[in-house]
Short mmCIF file of all heavy atoms in Angstrom, two decimals:
data_model
loop_
_atom_site.label_atom_id
_atom_site.label_comp_id
_atom_site.label_asym_id
_atom_site.label_seq_id
_atom_site.Cartn_x
_atom_site.Cartn_y
_atom_site.Cartn_z
N HIS A 754 -7.94 -17.28 -4.25
CA HIS A 754 -7.31 -17.55 -2.91
C HIS A 754 -6.13 -18.47 -3.13
O HIS A 754 -6.23 -19.68 -3.58
CB HIS A 754 -8.28 -18.10 -1.96
CG HIS A 754 -9.52 -17.31 -1.71
ND1 HIS A 754 -9.77 -16.59 -0.62
CD2 HIS A 754 -10.55 -17.14 -2.57
CE1 HIS A 754 -10.93 -15.95 -0.68
NE2 HIS A 754 -11.43 -16.35 -1.90
N ILE A 755 -4.94 -18.05 -2.88
CA ILE A 755 -3.72 -18.92 -2.75
C ILE A 755 -3.50 -19.42 -1.42
O ILE A 755 -3.38 -18.59 -0.46
CB ILE A 755 -2.46 -18.07 -3.30
CG1 ILE A 755 -2.75 -17.64 -4.75
CG2 ILE A 755 -1.24 -18.99 -3.21
CD1 ILE A 755 -1.64 -16.84 -5.26
N LEU A 756 -3.51 -20.77 -1.22
CA LEU A 756 -3.41 -21.33 0.17
C LEU A 756 -1.97 -21.90 0.35
O LEU A 756 -1.19 -22.02 -0.66
CB LEU A 756 -4.34 -22.55 0.20
CG LEU A 756 -5.79 -22.23 -0.17
CD1 LEU A 756 -6.60 -23.47 0.02
CD2 LEU A 756 -6.40 -21.14 0.51
N ASN A 757 -1.60 -21.99 1.60
CA ASN A 757 -0.34 -22.55 1.96
C ASN A 757 -0.41 -23.98 1.60
O ASN A 757 -1.35 -24.70 2.12
CB ASN A 757 -0.02 -22.30 3.46
CG ASN A 757 1.45 -22.49 3.70
OD1 ASN A 757 2.16 -23.05 2.94
ND2 ASN A 757 1.87 -21.91 4.92
N GLY A 758 0.56 -24.47 0.93
CA GLY A 758 0.67 -26.01 0.60
C GLY A 758 0.91 -26.80 1.80
O GLY A 758 0.53 -28.00 1.86
N ARG A 759 1.56 -26.15 2.82
CA ARG A 759 1.80 -26.87 4.05
C ARG A 759 0.82 -26.52 5.05
O ARG A 759 0.56 -25.32 5.47
CB ARG A 759 3.18 -26.52 4.53
CG ARG A 759 4.33 -26.93 3.61
CD ARG A 759 5.76 -26.85 4.32
NE ARG A 759 6.72 -27.15 3.41
CZ ARG A 759 7.92 -27.78 3.77
NH1 ARG A 759 8.15 -27.92 5.02
NH2 ARG A 759 8.78 -28.12 2.92
N LYS A 760 -0.03 -27.46 5.53
CA LYS A 760 -1.08 -27.22 6.47
C LYS A 760 -0.55 -26.74 7.81
O LYS A 760 0.54 -27.15 8.23
CB LYS A 760 -1.89 -28.45 6.68
CG LYS A 760 -2.62 -28.93 5.59
CD LYS A 760 -3.44 -30.22 5.88
CE LYS A 760 -4.10 -30.78 4.55
NZ LYS A 760 -4.88 -32.03 4.83
N LEU A 761 -1.25 -25.76 8.36
CA LEU A 761 -0.96 -25.47 9.83
C LEU A 761 -1.46 -26.58 10.73
O LEU A 761 -2.59 -26.88 10.53
CB LEU A 761 -1.74 -24.16 10.09
CG LEU A 761 -1.74 -23.67 11.51
CD1 LEU A 761 -0.26 -23.30 11.91
CD2 LEU A 761 -2.68 -22.45 11.69
N VAL A 762 -0.57 -27.06 11.50
CA VAL A 762 -0.94 -28.14 12.40
C VAL A 762 -0.30 -27.72 13.85
O VAL A 762 0.91 -27.65 14.04
CB VAL A 762 -0.26 -29.48 11.98
CG1 VAL A 762 -0.51 -30.62 13.00
CG2 VAL A 762 -0.83 -29.90 10.57
N MET A 763 -1.17 -27.50 14.78
CA MET A 763 -0.87 -27.16 16.10
C MET A 763 -1.22 -28.19 17.12
O MET A 763 -1.31 -27.86 18.29
CB MET A 763 -1.36 -25.71 16.46
CG MET A 763 -0.56 -24.58 15.90
SD MET A 763 1.04 -24.52 16.58
CE MET A 763 0.68 -23.97 18.28
N LEU A 764 -1.57 -29.45 16.62
CA LEU A 764 -2.15 -30.45 17.50
C LEU A 764 -1.29 -30.65 18.80
O LEU A 764 -1.77 -30.75 19.91
CB LEU A 764 -2.33 -31.69 16.79
CG LEU A 764 -2.93 -32.96 17.54
CD1 LEU A 764 -4.33 -32.59 18.04
CD2 LEU A 764 -2.88 -34.16 16.69
N ALA A 765 0.03 -30.73 18.58
CA ALA A 765 0.88 -31.08 19.68
C ALA A 765 0.95 -29.91 20.69
O ALA A 765 1.37 -30.17 21.89
CB ALA A 765 2.34 -31.29 19.16
N HIS A 766 0.49 -28.79 20.41
CA HIS A 766 0.61 -27.66 21.23
C HIS A 766 -0.69 -27.00 21.71
O HIS A 766 -0.89 -25.94 22.25
CB HIS A 766 1.38 -26.54 20.55
CG HIS A 766 2.78 -26.98 20.27
ND1 HIS A 766 3.87 -26.99 21.17
CD2 HIS A 766 3.27 -27.38 19.02
CE1 HIS A 766 4.85 -27.49 20.57
NE2 HIS A 766 4.57 -27.67 19.28
N ILE A 767 -1.82 -27.85 21.41
CA ILE A 767 -3.14 -27.37 21.81
C ILE A 767 -3.34 -27.08 23.31
O ILE A 767 -3.81 -26.06 23.74
CB ILE A 767 -4.31 -28.35 21.33
CG1 ILE A 767 -4.26 -28.38 19.86
CG2 ILE A 767 -5.60 -27.99 22.02
CD1 ILE A 767 -4.74 -26.97 19.29
#
Side-chain angles (χ1 to χ4, degrees):
H754 302 255
I755 299 177
L756 312 181
N757 198 345
R759 299 192 177 207
K760 294 178 185 178
L761 173 65
V762 177
M763 281 295 290
L764 183 63
H766 302 279
I767 291 303

